[in-house]
Coordinates of all heavy atoms in Angstrom, one line a residue:
M7 N 120.3 110.8 98.8 CA 120.0 110.1 100.1 C 119.6 108.7 99.7 O 118.9 108.4 98.9 CB 118.9 110.8 100.8 CG 118.6 110.1 102.1 SD 117.1 110.9 103.0 CE 117.9 112.4 103.5
R8 N 120.1 107.8 100.6 CA 119.8 106.4 100.4 C 118.3 106.2 100.6 O 117.6 106.8 101.4 CB 120.6 105.5 101.4 CG 122.0 105.4 101.1 CD 122.7 104.7 102.3 NE 122.2 103.4 102.5 CZ 122.6 102.2 102.3 NH1 123.7 102.1 101.6 NH2 122.1 101.1 102.7
L9 N 117.8 105.2 100.0 CA 116.3 104.8 100.1 C 115.9 104.4 101.5 O 114.9 105.0 102.1 CB 115.9 103.7 99.1 CG 114.5 103.2 99.2 CD1 113.6 104.3 98.9 CD2 114.3 102.0 98.1
D10 N 116.7 103.6 102.2 CA 116.3 103.2 103.5 C 116.4 104.4 104.5 O 115.5 104.5 105.4 CB 117.2 102.1 104.0 CG 118.7 102.4 104.0 OD1 119.1 103.4 103.5 OD2 119.5 101.6 104.6
K11 N 117.3 105.3 104.3 CA 117.3 106.5 105.2 C 116.2 107.4 104.9 O 115.6 108.0 105.8 CB 118.7 107.2 105.0 CG 118.8 108.4 106.0 CD 120.2 108.9 106.1 CE 120.2 110.0 107.0 NZ 121.6 110.7 107.1
F12 N 115.8 107.5 103.6 CA 114.7 108.4 103.2 C 113.4 107.9 103.9 O 112.5 108.6 104.4 CB 114.5 108.5 101.8 CG 113.2 109.3 101.4 CD1 113.3 110.7 101.3 CD2 112.2 108.7 101.0 CE1 112.2 111.5 101.1 CE2 111.0 109.5 100.7 CZ 111.1 110.8 100.7
L13 N 113.2 106.6 103.9 CA 112.0 105.9 104.4 C 111.9 106.2 105.9 O 110.8 106.4 106.4 CB 111.9 104.5 104.0 CG 111.7 104.1 102.6 CD1 111.9 102.6 102.4 CD2 110.4 104.5 102.1
K14 N 113.0 106.1 106.5 CA 113.1 106.5 108.0 C 112.8 107.9 108.3 O 112.0 108.3 109.1 CB 114.4 106.0 108.6 CG 114.3 106.0 110.1 CD 115.6 106.6 110.7 CE 115.6 106.7 112.2 NZ 115.1 108.0 112.7
V15 N 113.5 108.8 107.6 CA 113.4 110.2 107.9 C 112.0 110.7 107.6 O 111.5 111.5 108.4 CB 114.5 111.0 107.0 CG1 114.2 112.5 107.0 CG2 115.8 110.7 107.6
S16 N 111.3 110.2 106.6 CA 110.1 110.7 106.2 C 109.0 109.9 107.0 O 107.8 110.2 106.9 CB 109.8 110.3 104.7 OG 109.8 109.0 104.5
R17 N 109.4 109.0 107.9 CA 108.6 108.3 108.8 C 107.5 107.4 108.1 O 106.5 107.1 108.6 CB 107.8 109.2 109.8 CG 108.8 109.8 110.8 CD 108.2 110.8 111.7 NE 109.1 111.2 112.9 CZ 110.0 112.0 112.8 NH1 110.4 112.4 111.6 NH2 110.7 112.3 113.8
L18 N 107.9 107.0 106.9 CA 107.0 106.0 106.1 C 107.3 104.6 106.8 O 106.3 103.8 106.8 CB 107.4 106.0 104.7 CG 107.0 107.3 103.9 CD1 107.5 107.2 102.5 CD2 105.4 107.3 103.8
I19 N 108.5 104.3 107.2 CA 108.8 103.1 107.9 C 109.5 103.7 109.2 O 110.4 104.5 109.1 CB 109.7 102.2 107.1 CG1 108.9 101.8 105.8 CG2 110.1 101.0 107.9 CD1 109.6 100.8 105.0
K20 N 109.2 103.0 110.4 CA 109.7 103.5 111.6 C 111.2 103.4 111.8 O 111.8 104.2 112.5 CB 109.0 102.8 112.8 CG 107.6 103.3 112.9 CD 107.0 102.8 114.1 CE 105.5 103.3 114.3 NZ 105.0 103.1 115.6
R21 N 111.8 102.3 111.4 CA 113.2 102.0 111.6 C 114.0 101.7 110.3 O 113.5 101.1 109.4 CB 113.4 100.8 112.6 CG 112.9 101.1 114.1 CD 113.2 99.9 114.9 NE 112.7 100.3 116.2 CZ 111.5 100.1 116.7 NH1 110.6 99.5 115.9 NH2 111.2 100.5 118.0
R22 N 115.2 102.2 110.3 CA 116.0 101.9 109.1 C 116.2 100.5 108.9 O 116.3 100.1 107.7 CB 117.3 102.8 109.3 CG 118.1 102.8 108.0 CD 119.2 103.9 108.2 NE 120.0 103.9 107.0 CZ 121.0 104.7 106.7 NH1 121.4 105.5 107.7 NH2 121.8 104.6 105.7
T23 N 116.4 99.7 109.9 CA 116.7 98.2 109.6 C 115.4 97.6 109.0 O 115.6 96.7 108.2 CB 117.1 97.6 111.0 OG1 116.0 97.8 112.0 CG2 118.4 98.0 111.5
V24 N 114.3 98.0 109.5 CA 113.0 97.4 108.8 C 112.9 97.9 107.4 O 112.5 97.0 106.5 CB 111.8 97.9 109.6 CG1 110.6 97.4 109.0 CG2 111.9 97.4 111.1
A25 N 113.3 99.1 107.1 CA 113.3 99.6 105.7 C 114.3 98.7 104.9 O 114.1 98.3 103.7 CB 113.6 101.1 105.7
N26 N 115.5 98.5 105.5 CA 116.6 97.7 104.8 C 116.0 96.3 104.5 O 116.2 95.7 103.4 CB 117.8 97.7 105.7 CG 119.0 97.5 104.9 OD1 119.0 96.9 103.9 ND2 120.1 98.2 105.4
E27 N 115.3 95.6 105.5 CA 114.8 94.3 105.3 C 113.7 94.3 104.3 O 113.6 93.4 103.5 CB 114.3 93.8 106.6 CG 115.4 93.5 107.6 CD 114.9 93.3 109.0 OE1 113.7 93.2 109.3 OE2 115.8 93.0 109.9
A28 N 112.9 95.4 104.2 CA 111.8 95.5 103.2 C 112.4 95.5 101.8 O 111.8 94.9 100.9 CB 110.9 96.6 103.5
C29 N 113.4 96.3 101.7 CA 114.1 96.3 100.4 C 114.7 95.1 100.0 O 114.6 94.6 98.8 CB 115.3 97.4 100.5 SG 114.7 99.1 100.5
D30 N 115.3 94.3 100.9 CA 115.9 93.0 100.6 C 114.7 92.0 100.2 O 115.0 91.1 99.4 CB 116.6 92.4 101.8 CG 117.9 93.2 102.0 OD1 118.4 93.9 101.2 OD2 118.4 93.1 103.1
A31 N 113.6 92.1 100.8 CA 112.5 91.2 100.4 C 111.7 91.8 99.2 O 110.7 91.2 98.9 CB 111.5 91.1 101.6
E32 N 112.2 92.8 98.6 CA 111.5 93.4 97.3 C 110.2 93.9 97.6 O 109.3 93.8 96.7 CB 111.6 92.4 96.2 CG 113.1 92.1 95.7 CD 113.1 91.2 94.5 OE1 112.0 90.7 94.0 OE2 114.2 91.0 93.9
K33 N 109.9 94.5 98.8 CA 108.6 95.0 99.1 C 108.5 96.5 98.8 O 107.6 97.2 99.0 CB 108.3 94.7 100.5 CG 108.1 93.3 100.9 CD 107.3 93.0 102.0 CE 107.2 91.5 102.3 NZ 106.1 90.9 101.6
I34 N 109.8 97.0 98.4 CA 109.8 98.5 98.1 C 110.1 98.6 96.6 O 111.1 98.1 96.1 CB 111.0 99.2 98.8 CG1 110.7 99.0 100.3 CG2 110.9 100.7 98.7 CD1 109.5 99.5 101.0
I35 N 109.3 99.3 95.8 CA 109.4 99.5 94.4 C 109.5 101.0 94.1 O 108.7 101.8 94.6 CB 108.2 98.8 93.7 CG1 108.1 97.3 93.9 CG2 108.3 99.1 92.2 CD1 106.9 96.7 93.5
V36 N 110.6 101.3 93.4 CA 110.8 102.7 93.0 C 110.7 102.7 91.5 O 111.4 102.1 90.7 CB 112.2 103.2 93.5 CG1 112.4 104.7 93.0 CG2 112.3 103.0 94.9
N37 N 109.8 103.6 91.0 CA 109.6 103.9 89.6 C 109.4 102.5 88.8 O 109.9 102.3 87.7 CB 110.8 104.5 89.0 CG 111.0 106.0 89.5 OD1 110.0 106.6 89.8 ND2 112.3 106.4 89.6
G38 N 108.6 101.5 89.4 CA 108.2 100.4 88.8 C 109.2 99.2 88.9 O 109.0 98.1 88.3
K39 N 110.3 99.4 89.6 CA 111.3 98.4 89.7 C 111.7 98.1 91.2 O 111.8 99.1 92.0 CB 112.7 98.7 89.0 CG 112.5 98.9 87.5 CD 113.7 99.3 86.9 CE 113.5 99.6 85.4 NZ 114.8 100.2 84.8
P40 N 111.8 96.9 91.6 CA 112.3 96.7 92.9 C 113.6 97.4 93.3 O 114.5 97.4 92.4 CB 112.5 95.1 93.0 CG 111.8 94.6 91.9 CD 111.7 95.7 90.8
A41 N 113.7 98.1 94.4 CA 114.9 98.8 94.7 C 115.7 98.3 95.9 O 115.1 97.7 96.9 CB 114.6 100.2 95.0
R42 N 116.9 98.5 95.8 CA 117.9 98.1 96.9 C 117.8 99.2 98.0 O 117.5 100.4 97.6 CB 119.2 97.8 96.5 CG 119.3 96.6 95.4 CD 120.6 96.3 95.0 NE 121.6 96.1 96.2 CZ 121.9 94.9 96.6 NH1 121.5 93.8 96.0 NH2 122.7 94.8 97.6
A43 N 118.3 99.0 99.2 CA 118.3 100.0 100.2 C 119.4 101.1 99.9 O 119.2 102.3 100.3 CB 118.7 99.4 101.5
S44 N 120.3 100.8 99.1 CA 121.4 101.7 98.7 C 121.0 102.6 97.5 O 121.7 103.5 97.1 CB 122.6 101.1 98.4 OG 122.4 100.1 97.3
Y45 N 119.8 102.5 97.0 CA 119.3 103.3 95.9 C 119.3 104.8 96.2 O 118.8 105.1 97.4 CB 117.9 102.9 95.5 CG 117.2 103.7 94.5 CD1 117.6 103.6 93.0 CD2 116.3 104.8 94.7 CE1 116.9 104.4 92.1 CE2 115.8 105.6 93.8 CZ 116.1 105.4 92.5 OH 115.5 106.2 91.5
E46 N 119.8 105.6 95.5 CA 119.8 107.1 95.6 C 118.5 107.7 95.2 O 118.2 107.7 94.1 CB 121.0 107.7 94.9 CG 122.3 107.5 95.5 CD 122.5 108.1 96.9 OE1 122.1 109.2 97.1 OE2 123.1 107.4 97.7
V47 N 117.7 108.2 96.2 CA 116.4 108.8 96.1 C 116.6 110.2 95.3 O 117.5 110.9 95.7 CB 115.6 108.9 97.4 CG1 114.4 109.6 97.1 CG2 115.4 107.5 97.9
K48 N 115.8 110.4 94.3 CA 115.8 111.6 93.6 C 114.4 112.2 93.7 O 113.4 111.6 94.0 CB 116.2 111.4 92.1 CG 117.6 110.9 91.9 CD 117.8 110.6 90.6 CE 117.7 109.2 90.0 NZ 117.8 108.1 90.7
L49 N 114.3 113.5 93.4 CA 113.0 114.3 93.4 C 112.0 113.6 92.3 O 112.6 113.2 91.3 CB 113.2 115.7 93.1 CG 113.9 116.5 94.2 CD1 114.0 118.0 93.8 CD2 113.3 116.5 95.4
N50 N 110.8 113.6 92.6 CA 109.8 113.0 91.8 C 109.8 111.5 91.5 O 109.2 111.0 90.7 CB 109.8 113.7 90.4 CG 109.4 115.2 90.6 OD1 108.4 115.5 91.3 ND2 110.0 116.1 89.8
D51 N 110.7 110.8 92.3 CA 110.6 109.3 92.3 C 109.3 109.0 92.8 O 108.8 109.5 93.8 CB 111.8 108.8 93.2 CG 113.1 108.6 92.4 OD1 113.1 108.8 91.1 OD2 114.0 108.3 93.1
I52 N 108.7 107.8 92.3 CA 107.5 107.2 92.8 C 108.0 106.0 93.6 O 108.5 105.0 93.0 CB 106.6 106.8 91.7 CG1 106.3 108.0 90.8 CG2 105.3 106.1 92.2 CD1 105.5 109.0 91.4
I53 N 107.6 106.0 94.8 CA 108.0 104.8 95.8 C 106.6 104.1 96.2 O 105.7 104.7 96.7 CB 108.7 105.4 97.0 CG1 109.9 106.1 96.7 CG2 108.9 104.1 98.0 CD1 110.6 106.8 97.8
E54 N 106.6 102.8 96.0 CA 105.6 102.0 96.3 C 106.0 101.0 97.5 O 107.1 100.4 97.4 CB 105.0 101.1 95.1 CG 104.5 101.9 94.1 CD 104.1 101.0 92.9 OE1 103.3 100.1 93.1 OE2 104.6 101.2 91.8
I55 N 105.3 101.0 98.6 CA 105.6 100.3 99.8 C 104.5 99.2 99.9 O 103.3 99.5 100.0 CB 105.7 101.1 101.0 CG1 106.7 102.1 100.8 CG2 106.0 100.2 102.3 CD1 106.7 103.2 102.0
Q56 N 104.9 98.0 99.7 CA 103.9 96.8 99.7 C 104.0 96.0 100.9 O 104.3 94.8 100.9 CB 104.1 95.9 98.4 CG 104.0 96.7 97.1 CD 104.3 95.8 95.9 OE1 105.0 94.8 96.0 NE2 103.9 96.3 94.8
M57 N 103.8 96.7 102.1 CA 103.9 96.0 103.4 C 102.5 96.2 104.0 O 101.9 97.3 103.9 CB 104.9 96.6 104.2 CG 106.3 96.4 103.8 SD 107.6 97.3 104.8 CE 107.3 96.5 106.4
G58 N 102.0 95.3 104.7 CA 100.6 95.4 105.4 C 99.6 95.0 104.4 O 99.8 94.5 103.3
K59 N 98.4 95.4 104.8 CA 97.2 95.0 103.9 C 97.0 95.9 102.7 O 96.7 95.5 101.6 CB 95.9 95.2 104.8 CG 95.9 94.1 105.9 CD 94.5 94.3 106.6 CE 94.6 93.2 107.8 NZ 93.4 93.2 108.6
T60 N 97.3 97.3 102.8 CA 97.1 98.2 101.7 C 98.5 98.8 101.3 O 99.1 99.2 102.1 CB 96.2 99.4 102.1 OG1 96.7 100.0 103.2 CG2 94.8 98.9 102.3
P61 N 98.8 98.6 100.0 CA 100.1 99.2 99.4 C 100.0 100.8 99.6 O 98.9 101.4 99.4 CB 100.2 98.6 98.1 CG 98.8 98.3 97.7 CD 98.0 97.9 99.0
L62 N 101.1 101.4 99.7 CA 101.2 102.9 99.8 C 102.1 103.3 98.7 O 103.1 102.8 98.4 CB 101.9 103.2 101.1 CG 102.1 104.7 101.4 CD1 100.8 105.5 101.4 CD2 102.8 104.9 102.7
K63 N 101.5 104.4 97.9 CA 102.3 104.9 96.8 C 102.5 106.3 97.1 O 101.5 107.1 97.3 CB 101.5 104.7 95.6 CG 102.3 104.9 94.2 CD 101.3 104.5 93.1 CE 102.1 104.5 91.8 NZ 101.2 104.0 90.7
V64 N 103.8 106.8 97.0 CA 104.1 108.2 97.3 C 105.0 108.8 96.2 O 105.7 108.0 95.6 CB 104.7 108.5 98.7 CG1 103.7 108.0 99.7 CG2 106.0 107.7 98.8
R65 N 105.0 110.1 96.0 CA 106.0 110.8 95.2 C 106.9 111.6 96.1 O 106.4 112.4 96.9 CB 105.2 111.7 94.3 CG 106.2 112.6 93.4 CD 105.5 113.5 92.4 NE 105.0 112.7 91.3 CZ 103.7 112.8 90.9 NH1 102.8 113.5 91.5 NH2 103.2 112.0 90.0
V66 N 108.2 111.7 95.7 CA 109.2 112.3 96.6 C 109.1 113.9 96.1 O 109.3 114.1 95.0 CB 110.6 111.8 96.3 CG1 111.7 112.6 97.1 CG2 110.6 110.4 96.8
L67 N 108.9 114.7 97.1 CA 108.8 116.2 96.9 C 110.1 116.9 97.3 O 110.4 117.9 96.7 CB 107.5 116.7 97.5 CG 106.2 116.2 97.2 CD1 105.1 116.9 97.9 CD2 105.9 116.5 95.7
K68 N 110.7 116.4 98.4 CA 111.8 117.1 98.9 C 112.7 116.1 99.6 O 112.2 115.0 100.1 CB 111.3 118.1 100.0 CG 112.2 119.1 100.5 CD 111.6 120.3 101.2 CE 110.7 119.9 102.3 NZ 110.3 121.0 103.1
I69 N 114.0 116.3 99.6 CA 115.0 115.5 100.3 C 115.6 116.2 101.4 O 116.2 117.3 101.1 CB 116.0 114.8 99.3 CG1 115.2 114.0 98.3 CG2 117.0 114.0 100.0 CD1 116.0 113.5 97.2
A70 N 115.5 115.8 102.6 CA 116.2 116.5 103.7 C 116.8 115.4 104.7 O 116.3 114.4 104.9 CB 115.3 117.4 104.5
E71 N 118.0 115.7 105.2 CA 118.7 114.8 106.1 C 118.1 114.7 107.4 O 117.9 113.6 108.0 CB 120.3 115.3 106.3 CG 121.1 115.1 105.1 CD 121.4 113.8 104.7 OE1 121.6 112.9 105.5 OE2 121.4 113.4 103.5
V72 N 117.6 115.9 108.0 CA 116.9 115.8 109.3 C 115.7 116.7 109.2 O 115.6 117.8 108.7 CB 117.9 116.6 110.4 CG1 117.3 116.6 111.7 CG2 119.2 115.9 110.4
V73 N 114.6 116.1 109.7 CA 113.3 116.7 109.7 C 112.6 116.4 111.0 O 112.7 115.3 111.5 CB 112.5 116.1 108.5 CG1 111.1 116.8 108.5 CG2 113.2 116.3 107.2
G74 N 111.8 117.3 111.5 CA 111.1 117.2 112.7 C 109.8 116.3 112.4 O 109.5 116.0 111.2
K75 N 109.1 115.9 113.4 CA 107.9 115.2 113.3 C 106.9 115.9 112.3 O 106.3 115.1 111.5 CB 107.3 115.0 114.7 CG 106.2 114.0 114.7 CD 105.7 113.9 116.2 CE 105.3 112.6 116.6 NZ 104.9 112.4 118.0
E76 N 106.7 117.1 112.5 CA 105.7 117.8 111.7 C 106.0 118.0 110.3 O 105.3 118.0 109.4 CB 105.4 119.2 112.3 CG 104.9 119.2 113.7 CD 106.0 119.0 114.7 OE1 107.1 119.3 114.5 OE2 105.6 118.5 115.9
G77 N 107.5 118.1 110.0 CA 107.9 118.3 108.6 C 108.1 117.1 107.8 O 108.4 117.1 106.7
S78 N 107.9 116.0 108.4 CA 108.2 114.6 107.7 C 107.2 114.5 106.6 O 107.5 113.9 105.6 CB 108.2 113.5 108.6 OG 107.0 113.3 109.3
A79 N 105.9 114.8 106.8 CA 104.9 114.7 105.7 C 105.1 115.6 104.5 O 104.6 115.4 103.5 CB 103.5 114.9 106.3
D80 N 106.0 116.6 104.7 CA 106.3 117.5 103.5 C 107.2 117.0 102.6 O 107.5 117.4 101.5 CB 106.8 118.9 104.1 CG 105.8 119.6 104.9 OD1 104.6 119.4 104.8 OD2 106.3 120.5 105.8
L81 N 107.8 115.9 102.9 CA 108.8 115.2 102.0 C 108.2 114.5 101.0 O 108.9 114.1 99.9 CB 109.8 114.4 102.8 CG 110.6 114.9 104.0 CD1 111.4 113.8 104.6 CD2 111.5 116.0 103.4
Y82 N 107.0 114.0 101.1 CA 106.4 113.2 100.1 C 104.8 113.6 99.9 O 104.3 114.3 100.7 CB 106.5 111.7 100.4 CG 105.7 111.4 101.7 CD1 104.4 111.0 101.7 CD2 106.5 111.5 102.9 CE1 103.8 110.7 103.0 CE2 105.8 111.1 104.2 CZ 104.5 110.7 104.2 OH 103.9 110.4 105.3
E83 N 104.2 113.1 98.8 CA 102.8 113.3 98.5 C 102.3 111.9 98.2 O 102.8 111.2 97.4 CB 102.7 114.3 97.3 CG 101.6 114.1 96.4 CD 101.5 114.9 95.1 OE1 102.6 114.7 94.4 OE2 100.6 115.6 95.0
A84 N 101.2 111.6 99.0 CA 100.5 110.3 98.6 C 99.8 110.3 97.4 O 99.1 111.4 97.0 CB 99.6 110.1 99.8
L85 N 99.9 109.2 96.6 CA 99.2 109.2 95.4 C 98.1 108.2 95.4 O 98.0 107.3 96.1 CB 100.1 108.7 94.2 CG 101.4 109.6 94.0 CD1 102.3 109.0 93.1 CD2 101.0 110.9 93.6

């Protein structure tokens, strides 16, 4: 799954276009390197989101195309 879509499905970022713009601005880092929106997310990837006042760091636990509101937090684990 693409990084921008994963960020939207997991509800880490509300809109896919915002996730895409954040990737272009190098505010999304995967495994220590700035990532493009087209990056293919894999299990156990470490994603850092450097937007807002406090950076957010998560580990990918599961990848799913469609998830409900309650299940979105099961896709990642905060570090």
Side-chain angles (χ1 to χ4, degrees):
M7 175 184 292
R8 288 174 52 106
L9 177 59
D10 57 348
K11 185 170 182 181
F12 177 81
L13 292 171
K14 190 228 180 260
V15 169
S16 64
R17 290 175 169 76
L18 290 168
I19 295 180
K20 288 189 178 192
R21 292 187 177 87
R22 192 167 174 180
T23 55
V24 174
N26 208 327
E27 291 168 1
C29 289
D30 291 342
E32 296 186 352
K33 296 199 180 280
I34 309 294
I35 297 172
V36 179
N37 299 327
K39 298 178 185 176
R42 298 181 56 101
S44 60
Y45 174 82
E46 285 294 319
V47 176
K48 297 178 266 327
L49 294 178
N50 295 319
D51 276 350
I52 305 293
I53 300 174
E54 295 176 55
I55 303 171
Q56 300 175 342
M57 293 174 63
K59 294 181 180 178
T60 57
L62 177 64
K63 192 173 188 179
V64 298
R65 174 180 289 126
V66 177
L67 297 178
K68 195 165 50 168
I69 298 172
E71 292 289 325
V72 180
V73 180
K75 190 183 220 179
E76 298 80 24
S78 63
D80 296 336
L81 299 179
Y82 61 90
E83 149 188 56
L85 301 176

